[in-house]
Structures are given as structure tokens and as C-alpha cells.
Amino acid sequence: MSLEAMVSERGAVLLGNSVACDAFDEGRPLRIVTHAHADHLVGLKQSLRQCEKVLMTAATRDLIEVMNGSLGLADGNVETLEYGETLQYGDERITLVKAEHILGAAQVLVEATSGGRVAYTGDFRLDGTPVLDCDTLVVEATYGNPSCRRPFKMGVKELLVSMVEKKLRDGAVYVFGFHGKLQEVMQILHDADVSVPFVMPERVFHVSQVCERHGMQLGCLTLSTEKEGRTLLDENLPCVAFYHMNSRGHVGLSNPRVCVSGWEFRSPCRQIGAKEHLIALSDHSDFDDLIEYVRRSKPKRVITDNYRVSHGETLAKEINKRLGIHAVAMPKKTAHWETLV
Ligand SMILES: [Zn+2]
């Protein structure tokens, strides 16, 4: 018997009979948080109060605690599941599967004892994400438009490293990005033996510490509010300063700067200011990789997440056209629109 799946008007991805992912839903006893980005924490306070269990990976729990401490995870019935671990609930089995996105990100698979399988990708980058085999697939649609293609995926990391190394000759280099992406940049630079200190404000520092606790290696982390970090920045000594994208207009204005963003399809590296470059480093699949995931997954039916981005309708049409698989966008009218990078 096939299991149901849909995306509610409030952005909850409903799988089978019991699970609501990434937003609160009144009728569902189980809430799953696929990862720590804010548009996947919709109604989490309500879920913590009302759901029987709130499920996520341990890394996602730790990230939410430092990024959104006010949500009060400790007050709710949070249970952590590791990748591949299964929870039996009634006649359904729930499994979290790795998604390559930010630390702790998971796909969700729900299987009925009678044999039906439904899955939700959450946000993902195809490279490093296992493709789930299922009857109904709910897929993210961030770059679900054919104009969102990055034909230059290879070599972006090398370009980032050489750009930072070049800019370090002029002193402190400022890197701007979102939580998760900043830590990916630290890891890339650390792996490439860029051994200058990494300086950052408190929030970025705490997120980075969680990443290190869960196995990422990020280099020499220094707080910008402490003497050593302050001196490095004030005296423009060779270091890399990591700041959230929101600080881009306030700090490091006269320094060499690098922004990392997925919303760039023309070139892997583009100059956007006198001393500023944009590097196209994305933690989402581009259009071709979304189609490729669906092709490999071979579902009978696809639902595109039309709540979090504007490309759900387009992606559904393209899946119908290119793969001959029945696909619909849900919810029908975009109830909420948010640009993600
Ligand atoms: Zn995300």
C-alpha cells in the first residue's frame, strides 16, 4: 500500500501518517528537523510543546542550540537519531539518511510495514548525498529553474584557496557567508594548509566549535573580541576573518574581501567591488543535479517543495517533461517566500 506525502500550507512536509518535517503540523505526533537553517525550523517552539517527539541528528541539535538558543530545545521531547538509525512508530519505520548540505543535515525516509516508501531530501548537494529509492519523493527546489545551472562545479574550492592566498599578501582577508558555509570555507582552507589564524565573532566561533566537536577540522580559531584576534585585525596582520553575510556592510570595508554564495551561475569567481570577489560555492544542488537525483531515485510521483522557494512549479514541470514522472508543486500558492543563499 502506498504511503501519503504532501507539503502543507505552513511548509510542513508530511510523510506517511505520523511525520511532519521542517514545520509544525497539528495532526502529527512526530516532528523532524532536517537541519539547522531557519526556514526548516518553522513552528519549532510549538512542536516542542505539542509533539510526542522532535527528532533530529545530534549535530543539528547542537547547532540549533548555538544559533537559536531561544528556541529552548531542552524543554521539549527532543530525541536524536544518527544517520541510518531507525525509529519504529506504529507500523512505520523512520530513518534519517545523510544529506550533504550543512553539518548534521538529513534526508528522511518513511517506510510502511506493508512496503510503501516515501522520502524527503531536505536541502542537499548531490555530490556526497545518497539517493533514496522510494515511491513518492519530496524534493527541495531552491535551484529548480533551468537558469540555475553551475557548469563549473569542479575547481571552485581550488579557486577559493588561491584567491584567499593572493589576498593575504595585503593583510587580513574578510570572508562573508552564512552559518555552515563559513565553516565549510574554514575546512577547505585548513585542508589546503592555509595556516594563518582564523578570526571570528562569538556566534561564528560557537557554530565552528560545534562543527569541530562533530568531526570537522577547521584550523586555528580566534575570537575577534579577544586581545589576539583584535590585534590581528587592528594591525592588519595576515589572518582570515570570518563574518556572517549580515555583517558585510559593517566590517572589513577597506580590506580584501571574499563572499561565498550559491546564487551565482555566470562564473565561479567574479569581482564585485574594488577589493571584493564573489565565489560560487553552493551547498545546494543546481538544476541539473536536482533532475539527476530524481532520475536516479526513480519514484512514481514527485512533490516539489514550493513553500521555501519560488521555483517549485517550474521544477515540477521540468521533471514531468524531462523524466516523464508525475510531479506537482506543493503548496499550490506560495504562502511564504524567502530567498536562500
Ligand atoms: Zn538549508
Side-chain angles (χ1 to χ4, degrees):
M1 219 187 84
S2 70
L3 283 173
E4 295 297 317
M6 66 172 283
V7 185
S8 77
E9 291 292 329
R10 288 184 67 185
V13 177
L14 309 179
L15 304 175
N17 297 319
S18 308
V19 168
C21 306
D22 292 348
F24 175 71
D25 186 87
E26 247 161 33
R28 304 281 165 146
L30 303 182
R31 164 75 187 264
I32 295 178
V33 180
T34 60
H35 66 285
H37 280 148
D39 57 328
H40 296 260
L41 307 181
V42 181
L44 184 53
K45 271 198 164 168
Q46 213 171 349
S47 297
L48 287 164
R49 278 199 305 270
Q50 297 185 29
C51 290
E52 198 178 315
K53 291 176 197 289
V54 179
L55 302 164
M56 62 191 83
T57 63
T60 295
R61 178 201 57 200
D62 294 351
L63 281 177
I64 293 172
E65 270 169 357
V66 295
M67 286 158 71
N68 293 283
S70 62
L71 283 169
L73 289 192
D75 304 332
N77 196 3
V78 173
E79 278 190 28
T80 60
L81 277 180
E82 292 312 305
Y83 295 135
E85 194 185 336
T86 288
L87 175 86
Q88 183 81 38
Y89 190 88
D91 58 359
E92 292 177 357
R93 286 157 43 88
I94 297 133
T95 311
L96 300 186
V97 178
K98 183 178 170 60
E100 188 66 39
H101 181 57
I102 62 163
L103 180 81
Q107 308 180 79
V108 184
L109 175 66
V110 176
E111 299 164 283
T113 315
S114 53
R117 290 162 68 92
V118 292
Y120 167 44
T121 62
D123 289 350
F124 74 101
R125 179 164 58 194
L126 184 62
D127 189 20
T129 299
V131 174
L132 297 175
D133 188 354
C134 58
D135 306 312
T136 302
L137 174 71
V138 184
V139 65
E140 67 126 321
T142 305
Y143 297 125
N145 189 300
S147 64
C148 302
R149 284 185 163 113
R150 273 179 242 101
F152 45 75
K153 291 179 199 88
M154 309 300 280
V156 174
K157 290 181 182 177
E158 291 76 6
L159 225 143
L160 170 70
V161 171
S162 65
M163 175 64 65
V164 170
E165 281 176 333
K166 204 166 92 189
K167 287 179 186 278
L168 275 170
R169 289 179 211 146
D170 296 328
V173 178
Y174 283 70
V175 174
F176 299 94
F178 286 82
H179 291 307
K181 188 79 71 71
L182 285 175
Q183 287 72 24
E184 188 189 352
V185 173
M186 292 176 205
Q187 190 170 42
I188 292 168
L189 296 177
H190 180 67
D191 288 350
D193 294 324
V194 176
S195 56
V196 296
F198 294 166
V199 184
M200 61 206 75
E202 266 183 37
R203 179 70 63 88
V204 178
F205 185 79
H206 292 315
V207 172
S208 305
Q209 280 186 317
V210 170
C211 291
E212 286 198 311
R213 270 212 310 279
H214 288 275
M216 289 176 76
Q217 293 190 337
L218 304 182
C220 169
L221 310 184
T222 310
L223 268 168
S224 59
T225 46
E226 287 189 353
K227 190 164 174 271
E228 188 193 344
R230 199 63 271 148
T231 307
L232 285 161
L233 297 181
D234 288 349
E235 297 182 15
N236 197 24
L237 299 170
C239 65
V240 183
F242 290 89
Y243 279 85
H244 192 273
M245 199 61 104
N246 294 345
S247 302
R248 194 174 152 234
H250 325 299
V251 296
L253 294 173
S254 55
N255 278 74
R257 294 150 63 94
V258 173
C259 287
V260 282
S261 169
W263 285 103
E264 171 59 38
F265 306 103
R266 278 173 280 180
S267 152
C269 175
R270 190 158 60 88
Q271 186 152 9
I272 54 171
K275 288 182 163 188
E276 186 166 26
H277 284 80
L278 177 67
I279 302 271
L281 187 70
S282 178
D283 49 17
H284 286 271
S285 292
D286 70 352
F287 175 77
D288 289 334
D289 285 348
L290 289 171
I291 295 285
E292 181 59 18
Y293 185 104
V294 178
R295 193 183 66 74
R296 288 192 213 160
S297 168
K298 302 189 202 73
K300 295 185 186 81
R301 178 170 177 257
V302 176
I303 297 166
T304 60
D305 181 353
N306 198 36
Y307 177 80
R308 289 173 179 80
V309 290
S310 60
H311 294 314
E313 301 272 1
T314 310
L315 182 61
K317 275 190 204 116
E318 294 290 334
I319 289 168
N320 275 306
K321 192 172 87 185
R322 288 161 194 256
L323 303 174
I325 297 172
H326 178 64
V328 291
M330 295 179 93
K332 264 292 157 240
K333 279 184 194 140
T334 309
H336 165 93
W337 201 91
E338 194 168 70
T339 301
L340 287 176
V341 180

